[in-house]
Each structure stands twice: as C-alpha cells, then as structure tokens.
C-alpha cells in the first residue's frame, strides 16, 4: 500500500510540474549551430533593387530578410564591426546591443531610373524587434553606388549565416540568421 501511495504522489507531482511549466520550457529543441562568426561574402555583377526588409523569430535563431525584385540577388558582404557606417558619408549608425553586424547587399534601394524602391518609414527601426532573443535593433545605413547597407544590433557576437533564396515569383531574398547561442 505504501508503494502505491508513493508512486501516486510521484505521478501527481510530475503532472503538476508539467502543468505549470511554460510550454516553451517543455519543448526540447536541438540547436546544432555550426555557422561561426567570421565575415561572409558572395560576389556578383548582377544587381536588382531591394524592396523590403523584414524579420522573424525561430526556435534557434532570429532571421533578417531583404526582399529583392526580379534579377540576380546574390552579392553580399556581412561582418561584425565595431561601428556600422552609412554608405557614402561614413557617418556612424548608432545601434543597441553588445555587437554589430554590417550587412551590405548588392541591391540598390532604387531602380534603373533612380526611383526609390525601398524607403523605410523609420530608418532607425526598420523592424520592431523589442523583446527578441538575439536582435536588438535593425537600422538603415543607406544605399550608394548600387549597394545598400543595414546595421543589425545583436545581443552579443554570435554565429550567423547568410544565403539567398529564390522567389517568390521572379524575385529573391537575402537571408541573415543569427543564432541565439553558441
């Protein structure tokens, strides 16, 4: 009888813990990140204008996406820097966070006739990332001579990866993922 009561007490205790534990804490996520934090680059001679900047949260990383119109969106240079600077002027872009990524994409914010294709409503806050695990601020650093620069303030110098996705339609997307942990 004593064994049954002890066993029942253990079952009740484990059930109570499972009910009060937040759902995120119950889920076990395997984040096997092996990206590193060194500079990442890809070169191209083709360019297409950028049209949007957006971001999303994932279980193991925060994601920044730069949408580009139809054309060859392949060239980029992404690196950790002590200060992100504006294109053309070299003026420092202030960013929140313990580390700063300077993201330069070979995609101007204007078309072949120099009409703007991307005009941020608030250059200091391209996307609201308040409360995110890794991202602290996304700011516009400008577009000059066929390329555009974005400053990304992150919590710390963490691993990141950069790649290009084709679509939707004839467009493409630059994707920058920054891990939550090493």
């Amino acid at each position: 009888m004593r064994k049954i009561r002890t066993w029942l007490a253990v079952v009740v205790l484990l059930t109570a813990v499972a009910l009060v534990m937040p759902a995120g804490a119950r889920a076990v996520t395997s984040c096997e990140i092996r990206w590193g934090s060194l500079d990442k680059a890809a070169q191209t001679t083709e360019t297409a204008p950028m049209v949007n900047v957006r971001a999303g949260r994932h279980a193991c990383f925060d994601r920044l996406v730069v949408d580009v119109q139809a054309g060859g969106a392949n060239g980029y240079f992404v690196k950790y820097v002590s200060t992100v600077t504006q294109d053309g002027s070299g003026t420092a872009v202030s960013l929140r966070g313990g580390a700063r990524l300077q993201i330069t994409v070979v995609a101007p914010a204007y078309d072949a006739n120099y009409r703007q294709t991307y005009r941020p409503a608030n250059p200091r806050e391209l996307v609201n990332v308040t409360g995110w695990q890794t991202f602290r601020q996304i700011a516009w650093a400008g577009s000059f001579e066929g390329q555009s620069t974005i400053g990304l303030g992150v919590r710390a110098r963490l691993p990141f990866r950069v790649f290009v996705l084709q679509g939707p339609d004839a467009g493409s997307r630059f994707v920058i993922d920054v891990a939550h942990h090493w």
Side-chain angles (χ1 to χ4, degrees), residues 125-140:
E125 302 284 342
L126 299 183
V127 179
N128 182 0
V129 292
T130 303
W132 289 34
Q133 190 161 350
T134 296
F135 289 179
R136 295 297 181 257
Q137 183 179 3
I138 304 169
W140 183 243

Side-chain angles (χ1 to χ4, degrees), residues 5-129:
R5 278 189 266 156
T6 304
W7 183 81
L8 274 173
V10 168
V11 169
V12 169
L13 179 63
L14 290 175
T15 303
V17 168
L19 290 174
V20 298
M21 187 182 306
R26 279 184 258 148
V28 176
T29 305
S30 174
C31 296
E32 295 185 24
I33 306 282
R34 294 189 175 97
W35 304 332
S37 64
L38 297 178
D39 303 356
K40 311 233 182 339
Q43 298 300 320
T44 184
T45 56
E46 300 177 36
T47 64
M50 64 175 289
V51 293
N52 193 27
V53 175
R54 54 198 170 91
R57 295 191 268 187
H58 295 265
C60 300
F61 55 86
D62 289 348
R63 173 171 284 178
L64 177 70
V65 178
V66 178
D67 293 314
V68 178
Q69 286 181 350
N74 291 318
Y76 58 82
F77 190 67
V78 182
K79 65 179 178 175
Y80 278 104
V81 295
S82 57
T83 304
V84 172
T85 57
Q86 289 182 351
D87 287 334
S89 70
T91 303
V93 175
S94 177
L95 290 167
R96 292 184 299 276
R100 290 143 201 81
L101 275 170
Q102 182 156 324
I103 300 161
T104 303
V105 295
V106 181
Y110 49 85
D111 64 16
N113 296 314
Y114 299 99
R115 291 183 301 249
Q116 283 189 301
T117 57
Y118 177 69
R119 181 180 299 154
N122 180 355
R124 301 275 309 130
E125 302 284 342
L126 299 183
V127 179
N128 182 0
V129 292

